[in-house]
Amino acid sequence: MKKTLMVFACTALLAASLSACGSKPAENTDTGTASSAAASSSSSEQQQENTLTGSLDEKKNGMFVVTDAEGAAYEFTYDPSDTPKGLDDAAEGDSVTVTYTGTVSEVDSFDGTIVSVEKTEAAQN
């Protein structure tokens, strides 16, 4: 009897936790210009070109990893049928500068476009 009661309690707890995760997010009903201005600035951030210089640590079909001077690794993904300009000229271990749009993070996946990958000279110490 205790086992049946425990199984029922666990099942109810699991069902409650799953239904809480499945709730829909609140809808944005604001039609003001502030939200459209925020969307425009977000869109312009996506189009702004940024650069990252570091060591090309891993190179595979559809992705590569660049580690910067502080040791932070950034993964860039791309469509394998459209290899970024200059990537074929760089080999693992080379110092490269990646020009891209969008945002890159150590944690989150890359959400932009790679403009080019340029092999650079390693800094002399």
Side-chain angles (χ1 to χ4, degrees):
M1 178 70 175
K2 285 184 180 181
K3 287 184 182 179
T4 305
L5 188 57
M6 186 60 89
V7 168
F8 179 71
C10 288
T11 304
L13 183 63
L14 179 64
S17 67
L18 290 177
S19 65
C21 292
S23 63
K24 292 183 180 179
E27 290 184 27
N28 184 5
T29 58
D30 181 22
T31 58
T33 57
S35 62
S36 62
S40 295
S41 75
S42 175
S43 173
S44 66
E45 286 176 11
Q46 291 287 329
Q47 299 305 320
Q48 181 181 359
E49 288 189 1
N50 301 301
T51 60
L52 174 72
T53 300
S55 173
L56 182 61
D57 287 340
E58 188 176 350
K59 181 178 168 184
K60 295 182 179 178
N61 193 24
M63 66 83 65
F64 60 93
V65 177
V66 175
T67 302
D68 67 7
E70 287 79 37
Y74 300 96
E75 181 178 312
F76 291 90
T77 55
Y78 61 92
D79 179 7
S81 66
D82 187 24
T83 303
K85 180 179 127 189
L87 182 60
D88 290 334
D89 298 333
E92 289 182 10
D94 287 346
S95 178
V96 295
T97 298
V98 180
T99 304
Y100 62 94
T101 61
T103 56
V104 65
S105 166
E106 288 180 84
V107 179
D108 299 326
S109 60
F110 177 61
D111 68 349
T113 303
I114 303 164
V115 177
S116 67
V117 178
E118 296 178 26
K119 187 174 173 181
T120 59
E121 295 297 320
Q124 301 280 334
N125 287 337

